[in-house]
Amino acid sequence: MVGSSTWRGLLLAALSFPAAAADRIALCESCHGPGGNSTTANVPSIAGQPVTFLENQLIFFREGLRNAPVMVPLMKGVEDAEVTSLARHFNGQAPRPVKAASPDPAAVARGREIAGKRHCGQCHLPNYRGRDQIPALAGQRGDYLLDTMRSYRDGKRTGADTTMSEVLDGLSDDEIRALGAYLVSLP
Amino acid sequence: MNGKGYLLVLCVAAAAGCSHMKEPSSGAGAAPTISKAANPDLPQGVPGWKQGMSDAHATSPLAPHAGKMTVTPDNEIPLSSLKVPAGFKVEIWASGMPGVRHMVRGDSGTIWAGTRTIGRVYEIKDAGGKRTSRVLVDKLTQPNGVAIKDGKLYVVAIDKVLRYDGIEANPNVQPVDVTAAFNLPPKQHHAWKYVKFGPDGKLYIPFGAPCNICLPPPEYAQIRRYNPDGSGMEVVARGVRNSVGFDFHPRTKELWFTDNGRDWLNDDGPEEELNRVTKVGEFFGFPYCHANGIPDPDVSKPNACAGVTMPVTTLGAHAAALGMRFYTGSMFPAEYRDSILVARRGSWNRTKLNGYDVVRVTPSSDGRSAKVEPFLTGFMDASSNKFWGRPVDVLQMPDGAVLVADEQVGAIYRVSYGR
């Protein structure tokens, strides 16, 4: 049994960002890269992502709603206040996208056409910088984007709404690769 | 290639060969015309959420509003901005439950409430004027639906049906997974459920269209009822786009339900609907005919509204009319008897916010029309076009007070009268 003064201590520790969160930020950066700019395959960049998007994903991991073997145990039991602190911190970091190798122009053109038909830039915004619960796609790692789109299409991920599983429904792997090529070509 | 998508394409191409598309007296035999906006990717895609959005909308700033999945403390809930009619009072009854939505009450007074995004079902106990809550179950895909019969709690997620037998007496009872008996179709969009047992003892479950606007596959866009064990399925209402609220008339026992109109047509509509089912299998228009008889421009056919039951009343453009209950209590003034309280979660697909309130609907004595007026307002501010709360369901308590669940701040309010 933990005494109430201990609980109060834990609560204050959780609320007193940045000191309490410094260790955790370092832990985040050990995979997501300095300032949340990833240089590791399949690990997303989180720098500059919208606060609500980051909060949502951290809560999905905590609640066991998004399957990621590394993130789920890391987030277990993390309180809302620290989730919000972490989300605000990485939202405030400047994105420094790694310039991808020049994608195939034909795939980029095909991807642009698909994105236009599916109106991707309507929610993600025409510059693909995202807003609220909707992530920035411009500047994100291509390998991670492909994996994410396949997960939504295949019903392995739901997200804040069912929107993405519906928008991507019926796309072939080739079409998803084309969309990925287009998205990584964005400035 | 998605096999189901291909099947759908075949049906579109050969409409006469698809039995599910024969609606009674609604232009039978005429193959509908599907616009590119409603299905731009044929033959490789299937209808989707963005479809029905014209190119003119491609740069619209509108998008679904972000929910809030963190706890909102009571002192951050602007209770004083809520307004009720004279003599009524509103208070915070329970809070700290992110995403709280559809509610049901057990015989001993326990309340269970489903959610969507956060994947939890909350259990709320009223202990001497103070409420405590716990998470009954989590990690589910949008477990919006909760219903109770004979002490058995049913939790219905997009892809799962769980039954907790005798849960009020035994709070630690493990659920029985009865998913297989209900044969839930696979698509996720509009597949969160509002569920309730009818006066006939059957479990009513809506199956929304898996799109904004499309010609839906045969197992969608309908309300079904089942025996409690999942057997004996019947389609009670068809042509229902996305119903997330219904109740049974206290005297006629008829099913009345709310239905959300399509998006991306325009700011003014088509409006949401309040419908009344007078015969099993009745057709309510989707995708051909909306609201009070608006033919759809994207899935069109001649005489689109022929054979379609019109709504009792419309409930506002994009206002998201969801949970609803007939008022049968004695606490409110007598004229509230048999009125319907409808929670309107509020619009996203509209330039100016609409809804974000609970309205009182008073049906005419013949049940063919109704008057709609504000009941609980103040969740949004029209001048700044901002909102802070989103009411999604209402529940009458034994004393006649009414609970209202607010998904955005994770709180339940109690609305009472007099005393």
Side-chain angles (χ1 to χ4, degrees), chain A residues 56 59-60 62-63 65 80 110 117-119 122-123 131 133 158 160-163 166-167 169-170 175, chain B residues 2 41 44 46-47 49-50 53 60-62 64 66 69-71 116-118 120 139 187 189 192 210:
Chain A
N56 283 357
I59 288 175
F60 293 153
R62 184 187 73 192
E63 302 288 321
L65 292 167
D80 285 357
R110 173 81 181 116
K117 278 186 180 171
R118 304 248 165 179
H119 299 293
Q122 195 274 324
C123 281
R131 50 173 157 168
Q133 78 277 34
T158 303
D161 206 320
T162 50
T163 302
E166 202 48 45
V167 168
D169 195 7
E175 289 169 316
Chain B
N2 177 323
D41 293 319
Q44 56 210 355
V46 294
W49 179 85
K50 285 294 206 180
M53 175 195 269
S60 162
L62 302 174
M69 296 212 295
T70 52
V71 167
R116 285 188 49 201
T117 306
I118 204 163
R120 298 171 173 172
K139 300 182 176 58
K187 291 189 182 295
H189 194 52
W192 47 96

